[in-house]
Amino acid sequence: TVSISKHDEL
Amino acid sequence: MNVFRLIGDMSHLAAIIILLIKIWRSRSCSGISGKSQLLFTAVFTCRYLDLFTNFVSIYNTTMKIFFLASSYATIYLIFMKFKATYNRNHDTFRFELLIVVSVILALLINHEFSATEILWTFSIYLEAVAILPQLFMITKTGEAESITSHYLFALGSYRGLYILNWIYRYYVEGHLDWIAVLSGIVQTGLYCDFFYLYITRVMKGKNLTLPA
């Protein structure tokens, strides 16, 4: 599932 | 990081640089939609607010800084330095609508109802439709300079490559952000007819003239 705290994409 | 996302980011970077070169060298922003550039600047501004709070990597930070700086530079060139060459009468898409719909969607459909997360979601939805004023302008003028079509090809390809990146991350890392994926599919879909024209015409050295 998505880790919203770290959006690691540009 | 994976090869799809890296090539995607390079394609995005190339698009931004192609546009800056086109405007700077020709000293003109004719055929360029200032509204789309304003939307892209809003996308980067809302998405990269975590620039100083959420450190991911040197690459991530430098790319964010470059994207922010180059998008503000682009709107400066369009609306200030070369504003005499801006085709305001051809850039008539109602982009306010895109902003309002993206804001409402971001408030309704998001991963977490927090300021930064809603702004991030807004930037994702807005980016999906930000190219519409530019595509609308090309249908209105019926043609595009070849450099503008290269810009659009690079810009459209970037999110298409991100879709491959998301497929890779889903199967390899179990990572899935369905808001980004669905928006990315819509965004890439909007380029389909342009991609067809680009591949069947521009690649053969013809100009990108839309069937009237």
Side-chain angles (χ1 to χ4, degrees):
Chain A
T1 57
V2 67
S3 56
I4 46 171
S5 59
K6 281 178 76 78
H7 288 297
D8 59 353
E9 295 177 344
L10 290 175
Chain B
M1 176 54 79
N2 58 68
V3 65
F4 304 112
R5 181 144 56 101
L6 189 59
I7 301 174
D9 289 341
M10 292 305 109
S11 183
H12 195 183
L13 188 65
I16 290 172
I17 291 169
I18 288 169
L19 184 62
L20 278 172
I21 288 174
K22 174 251 185 290
I23 297 176
W24 187 255
R25 279 221 183 123
S26 68
R27 304 188 71 71
S28 157
C29 56
S30 66
I32 301 300
S33 163
K35 293 185 174 184
S36 278
Q37 297 311 315
L38 283 172
L39 294 179
F40 286 126
T41 304
V43 166
F44 292 138
T45 305
C46 295
R47 189 175 303 174
Y48 298 157
L49 291 172
D50 64 350
L51 180 61
F52 301 110
T53 57
N54 174 16
F55 179 78
V56 176
S57 68
I58 298 284
Y59 169 80
N60 186 273
T61 300
T62 45
M63 291 293 272
K64 283 178 178 176
I65 291 171
F66 180 81
F67 283 173
L68 279 167
S70 57
S71 63
Y72 279 96
T74 303
I75 56 176
Y76 163 74
L77 291 179
I78 293 174
F79 291 102
M80 312 273 271
K81 194 159 177 64
F82 301 123
K83 74 175 178 182
T85 66
Y86 169 45
N87 311 125
R88 192 175 293 276
N89 54 331
H90 285 157
D91 195 9
T92 55
F93 192 91
R94 299 295 309 276
F95 77 136
E96 302 84 355
L97 202 64
L98 301 177
I99 296 172
V100 170
V101 170
S102 300
V103 168
I104 293 170
L105 264 180
L107 289 169
L108 294 177
I109 307 172
N110 51 63
H111 291 308
E112 178 195 276
F113 201 81
S114 66
T116 51
E117 192 58 26
I118 285 174
L119 283 167
W120 177 86
T121 311
F122 165 69
S123 80
I124 291 289
Y125 294 147
L126 189 63
E127 188 190 6
V129 293
I131 201 60
L132 281 175
Q134 179 66 67
L135 295 176
F136 178 76
M137 186 175 193
I138 291 178
T139 54
K140 212 169 160 82
T141 55
E143 64 179 358
E145 289 175 41
S146 64
I147 187 127
T148 306
S149 60
H150 298 319
Y151 158 71
L152 284 170
F153 182 73
L155 193 61
S157 306
Y158 125 74
R159 213 64 180 172
L161 286 159
Y162 257 66
I163 294 173
L164 300 180
N165 151 65
W166 289 320
I167 294 170
Y168 173 90
R169 293 193 74 179
Y170 179 69
Y171 286 110
V172 173
E173 302 167 23
H175 170 98
L176 172 64
D177 181 347
W178 53 272
I179 286 182
V181 172
L182 293 180
S183 302
I185 290 169
V186 167
Q187 181 170 338
T188 307
L190 291 177
Y191 284 83
C192 278
D193 59 338
F194 166 76
F195 280 145
Y196 172 75
L197 287 170
Y198 184 84
I199 290 164
T200 56
R201 302 230 178 146
V202 179
M203 300 287 244
K204 292 175 181 159
K206 298 176 193 162
N207 243 341
L208 182 83
T209 50
L210 300 180

